[in-house]
Amino acid sequence: MTATLETRGLFMHFGGLTVTNDVNLAIERGARQALIGANGAGKTTLVNLLTGALTPTAGRVILDGVDITGEPQHRRVARGLVRTFQVNQLFPGMSPLEATALAVAQRQGATARWWRSLASHSAVIEEAAALLDRLGLLDCAHEQTGALPYGRQRLLEIGLALALEPSVLLLDEPAAGVPEGESAELFATLAELPRSVTVLLIEHDMDLVFRFAERITVLVDGAILVEGPPAQISADPRVREVYLGEAQHG
Amino acid sequence: MLTVLFDGIATGALLFMLALGLSVTLGIMNFVNLAHGAFAMLGGYVAVVLLKGWGVPLLWCLPAAFLISAAVGMVLERTLYSRLYGASPLDQVLFTIGIVFASMAMASYFMGAQHQIIQLPPFLGGQFHVFAGFDVGVYRLFLIVVCGLIALLLHIMLTRTRFGSQLRASVDNARVARGMGIDVDRLFAITFAVGSGLAGLAGALGIEILDLDPTFPVKFMVYFLIVVAVGGTGTLGGPLAASLVLGICDVAGKYYISEVGAFIIYTVMVVMLIVRPQGLFGRPAVR
Amino acid sequence: MKPGSLVQNAVLPRYRAEVAYLRGLAAWRPAEYVFWIAPVLLYFLLPKQLVLFSQVAIMGLFAISLDLILGYAGVISLGHAAFFGLGGYAAGILAQQGWGEPLSGLAFGGLAAGVLGFATSFLVLRGSDLTRLMVTLGISLMLFELANKMRWLTGGADGLQGVEIWPLFGVWRFDLYGRTAYCYSIVVLFLSFLIIRRIVHSPFGLALRGIRENGRRMPALGTPVARRLVAVYTIGAIFAGVAGALLTETTQFVSLDVLSFDKSAEALLVVVLGGAGTLYGGVVGALALIVAQYLLSGLTPEYWQFWTGIAFIALVFFARGGILGLASRMVAVLRRISGVA
């Protein structure tokens, strides 16, 4: 299978600190891949490099065979590379419906249109509403996002990404901060993602990782330690050492 | 030409002391104090009142200007400014503009709208001729010396004392500094007061050179902003370099191309921004 | 099913309610109709004060243009008067040079300001809030200095003399009582308002709100943020220029104060006083300020400046939503008291 998202020789230096160290990723189309690593291993930096929020010091990012290293974030989103944030990045004053409609409208390139009102774009709104319905958020569609409970906000965070019809979806710790009782919805949504969407999941929650991932990449100090199916990873002594070592520290 | 350069350095030194307080305020608390010029104006008027009204010699007026500006700064900071540290940028802008207007009105009411002219003590007046084309004004030399000494003192304080390293830590990352047990609020109150005091001192020193009148805070607002935006907030060197460049360009511009005089600094500003929007030195003054 | 799509392609009628809700949010409220009838009534009820209310309309338009970039896009500008003044001088110089047709003067003023807005938008967008303050202030001061120095063009500190505006549509002269000026200003304000209101309720307007509320999320949503901000900044500049041209045409004079920092600060005060992010706040604030200026015109300039300063401070601490914010809070309280939902 051809790789849909690749990095070649990706480096990120901040002054004297090397946060991303020669990362060579090759994620296949339709993959369910997880990226794990201790705090500070460079996971979020890697996501930022993949999405264009950061420019690498060296190396290339390739999407579907096209070198996108120089492209700004919004261009990559147009190509289908979408991410969610570890800490919810939502619009506190907007309602979920407005926020989702914004995402849908942006996908259709409609946000340059200043002459027609948003309300007249009924197809956009209905698509947004349908998505909220699928996520179980329709009943709070008109409330202020800032007033919603955290678990629902997290669902909206993912909903915004889904509204963009991603072909490659980068999820940065989707379970972070979600209380036990509210995580079921989240997991169900992730499980229902169609095979046409390639998913890279960055997570700490090993439960979620082993339930969801078909392939795991382990990141240590900015470099890839090992990659492979879950069984291989959990049996790998080096991985155990890194995590056991962490347990001794913390 | 060297005279112009020298005068430019003097103006730059003054600007540096003026803008320093703003740089630190911004660095630690991320607070843009547009009213910073008001403290400078206060110091200037204090010196004028003492000098003209009570006959106090200039050299005593200077510390008085420093102390009074510092005191006013401390009071305002504890009562009003501190409530706005977490506020939105717009709130901070509105508030400080309010202080600017109120202070300008009071200055105009109590001191009149004219430029203040003072008599320099004889030992600070005049100039000496070094060689052709290079005249050194005594007062300007005095300025450079005073500002230089203070800059040196500050440098020593920042690098050699505990307070200094706490200050640097807070500028670098206030949240972490707080977490380390540094009383950032108290630190900031002191720094704000000192910064305002320095502005007052610079205002007093600069009566001759910078044209003291009630419009001072607005006239110099853009100068401070440029110094801090270009020089950054993490170092002493950044604002110093920016001030010197600005001072020299301003004086040279007014001297050589008097038609466009004040225009020069705006051109400098635009060029700086195009070339390096995040500032030239140290840590950028990010907000 | 489309790749990656979670939603069926057919438009589902079940969501009509959601569409209707959003349509309702954007609809004209009864209060708005009342608001726009008021100027008509004023024409008949207070015919001696028409000059004053022309000023309100002009200041209101200026403030709305600032509200667009401040309240909707979150760009704090200390130099919006640059566009106001440029529009004013453009229209004035055009008339002085012999072409006094009012509508084309308006267009010329708006265009000039729009060009400057577009050209400077790139500087304004670079860097942080601090550099934005610096740039906006610097540009307006720069323009002020230019106007001051170029006496041959602008009349310098004395102002532009010999501005003669032709009758509107060849019929209505700009008379001393200010009747034509008043109707002209109100109509221009209304039409501009209609356009800006449309913009605000469009997908573009929603994107602006997104940029203001979470600038970090927007690129991750696929929005070319810089392009949107350039667009709104330019639009804000255009309408400020139109307001400036309007001032020149109704007073047949223009001088340096249209470019001053005081003018920029005044616009800021008016927007916040009326309520930022509401559009109507611009006009409400202008009304409040100009009426106050009129009633307190006996005060010396220092008093006025002092109380303006206090007003800024008081607004920040007590009434950040401005007059309209207070009004809506009162309405909410009244609703609760009377038991309405």
Side-chain angles (χ1 to χ4, degrees), chain B residues 156-234:
Chain B
I156 294 175
M157 186 271 287
L158 275 182
T159 49
R160 302 281 164 88
T161 69
R162 196 147 154 264
F163 179 82
S165 41
Q166 286 183 340
L167 185 58
R168 276 184 297 143
S170 306
V171 172
D172 211 25
N173 195 326
R175 226 183 333 154
V176 171
R178 236 185 276 264
M180 279 171 47
I182 297 177
D183 188 347
V184 177
D185 291 319
R186 191 181 132 264
L187 197 84
F188 188 64
I190 297 174
T191 319
F192 190 93
V194 171
S196 307
L198 283 176
L201 177 59
L205 279 171
I207 299 172
E208 274 274 297
I209 303 192
L210 298 177
D211 287 341
L212 180 66
D213 64 42
T215 67
F216 187 93
V218 172
K219 258 195 313 198
F220 284 93
M221 197 188 286
V222 78
Y223 283 84
F224 307 149
L225 290 177
I226 292 178
V227 167
V228 174
V230 168
T233 59

Side-chain angles (χ1 to χ4, degrees), chain C residues 9 38 53 70 82 137 156 170 181 183 210 225 241 267 274 278 284 290 294 326:
Chain C
N9 273 357
F53 291 114
L70 177 76
L137 180 61
C183 299
V225 172
T278 61
V284 169
I290 290 177
Y294 176 72
L326 280 175

